[in-house]
Amino acid sequence: MAKKLNMRKRYELLTRGLGWEPTYQAKEKVFSNESYEGIKITDWSKWEDPFRLTADAYWKYQAEKDKKLYAVMDSFAQNNAHLNLSDGSYVNALKLFIQGVSPLEYQAHRGFARLARQFSGEGAQIACQMQSIDELRHAQTQIHTISHYNKHFNGMHDPFHMHDRVWYLSVPKSYFDDAKSAGPFEFITSVSFAFEYVLTNLLFVPFMSGAAFNGDMATVTFGFSAQSDESRHMTLGLEIIKFLVEQHEDNLPIIQGWIDKHFWRAYRVLGLVSMMQDYMLPESPMSWKEAWDIYFVENSGALFNDLARYGLRMPKHHEVATAEAEHLSHQVWGIFYNYIHAAAFNIGLPTEAKMNWLSEKYPNTFDKYYRPRIEMWREMEAQGKRFFNMGLPQLCQVCQIPMGFTEVSKNDPMQIAYRVSEFNGEKFHTCSDGCKDIFDHEPEKYVHAWLPVHQIFQGNCGGAEIPDILNWYHFKPEDGGDYKGSADEARWKAMKGEASPATSQSNAAA
Amino acid sequence: MTVKCLTGEYPITMMDSVDRFHGNQLVYVGWDYHTSICTANAYPLPPDMPFGALTEAVLPSVLGPHPDFPKIQWDKVEWLLDGQAFTPDMSKSLKDNGVGHKSLIRFKTPGLDGYKGTGN
């Protein structure tokens, strides 16, 4: 009987044994995507997969995790555990997640499947194949978990359709489209390093700790179930960067350029998370600024100190992002207050307690700049003149976010930042030096941006009036607007046995 | 820097060229130090539209609800067109005022700096 092999031996047999030299086609034809970006790989065997996970071990672990997760989901549904949430308004964070994040998991699945096919190194192929399957599993478990909420709340009925069309979802979508339409090495630098390694904690920790703080044990469970995968992905991200830089000195400037670009793109996407964290959670465990300080300033600062020996430095414009940490969530939330009638989730003015929390967390900015704004809007609401922006916003050509970011770094935080470039005789507007740099580096690529506002004006989005466009998005009339007075609020109150405003009025009449 | 691509030359499609806007051109208008209106707004406007129609008909539809808006003295407004100071001729068309496709018009209202002077 054959002796049992140790893990490393098994791993080598199950990965490196899969590579072979093609004989009737040239290798560069079989792996046609591998050289055009200018990255030079001299020896793929130097690739060290830090986990050395074999397919059989992978199936076993994942199956165990799924079994546990689905058991929790079943009991969550049977016990109507959504009634244990801190408040019905919490569900809006989940709407943002299923609309904005879960489709990215699916996009990552497709991107890594391409890498698994296009990298000629077997170790990298296997790692990318497993990550591709992980990402698909994440999309599926998120959809399954959140489908329970979809039975009771609005806005979660068609996230993939929405992701392809909606103005605010074009922000995460265009980031992934940018990475996926680049070559395989740029994709992996973008998604595995800039996003998964440098910034992923800023995405998952706020959502998962927000879920824990607000009684959403189902989401906490899928978070845990994904966590071991995420740490594998993060390690992959770091390994690939070191591997590429060590392979050839010519790779360094290319990699640094991609880190600069994709750090900034991913950071802009996280603006949506900052709003969720500071304004949408009824109970907030941590502010955006606190999360940024820990996960970016401290952790990534230490990371780039370590990477200095490879010649890598902190991503360009990181200091702008750090300066913006005291403004970001307020500005992004302000955009949604302007346009919540065209969104598929609800928000509302913060309560007095939340305002005080924001003052405490943002001592330099909230009372000075953002509390007055909220007070103004509160006065307008009290006069029955709730402010909605009835125009369409100017969008950044690169990040596609409405151009509401300000000159924080120039010490002029109430002045909108405007940048412009010219290409082929046309003007292109960007929201920041970070986005302008990205545009100017590859203008040919970004002139192809499908900007939702311009597409509406071109007549490509179901009609000219807001209801036509929302219908084309598959939004229902009750999906957007303020939480106060929303269908979700009424349903939540009915579920909790509290009188909704409508019933208390009819009771009073009776 | 050009885009590196797998084969041939990278194709260019101008997704927002002026011919796609049904005779209109895109114009962005932003009101400085009034950030409660979160961004400059985008408007598809006929190039022959008089500049005066912007202040009389177009802007009120979006900026009108702001408490500062009714107090604007339009003859005291400071204008920027694509980053340069300029004085629009209200009776002339956008085109004749030099407003092109995807031009950015910004204006400042001295003395009106948003809600309680906070830039909101």
Side-chain angles (χ1 to χ4, degrees), chain A residues 32-33 36-38 254 334-335 338-339 368-369 372-373 375-377 379-380 387 389-394 397 402-404 406 412 414-416 418 423-424 426-429 440-445 447-451 453-455 457-459, chain B residues 1-7 10-18 20-22 24 26 28-44 61-63 65-67 82 100-106 108 114-116 118-120:
Chain A
S32 62
N33 286 193
Y36 79 98
E37 296 169 274
I254 303 176
I335 292 169
N338 272 241
Y339 289 110
K368 193 168 173 193
Y369 303 115
R373 178 184 297 179
E375 285 169 352
M376 171 182 140
W377 282 338
E379 283 169 27
M380 291 172 80
F387 173 66
N389 191 320
M390 297 318 284
L392 300 185
Q394 182 183 25
Q397 188 74 26
M403 291 206 2
T406 63
D412 196 2
M414 295 313 260
Q415 173 59 54
I416 303 278
Y418 295 101
F423 178 74
N424 225 3
E426 197 174 304
K427 294 180 184 67
F428 293 91
H429 300 268
D440 290 344
H441 183 64
E442 292 179 315
E444 304 90 336
K445 185 168 187 176
V447 301
H448 292 114
W450 192 93
L451 290 184
V453 167
H454 296 175
Q455 290 297 319
F457 289 144
Q458 289 180 27
Chain B
M1 197 66 195
T2 50
V3 178
K4 288 175 181 159
C5 53
L6 212 43
T7 49
Y10 193 80
I12 294 172
T13 308
M14 299 295 277
M15 289 288 281
D16 295 316
S17 54
V18 68
R20 295 172 178 236
F21 290 87
H22 314 287
N24 293 320
L26 276 181
Y28 309 105
V29 186
W31 186 6
D32 282 358
Y33 297 111
H34 286 78
T35 51
S36 63
I37 297 151
C38 61
T39 62
N41 287 92
Y43 305 93
S61 67
V62 176
L63 310 180
H66 195 288
D82 295 319
H101 181 50
K102 296 171 83 179
S103 274
L104 169 67
I105 298 172
R106 287 166 56 185
K108 275 192 180 59
Y115 178 75
K116 295 185 178 170
T118 59
N120 280 299

Side-chain angles (χ1 to χ4, degrees), chain A residues 145 201 209 299 343 407 433 498 503:
Chain A
T145 308
N201 280 329
S209 62
N299 291 4
E407 300 283 14
D433 292 333
E498 297 164 25
T503 30

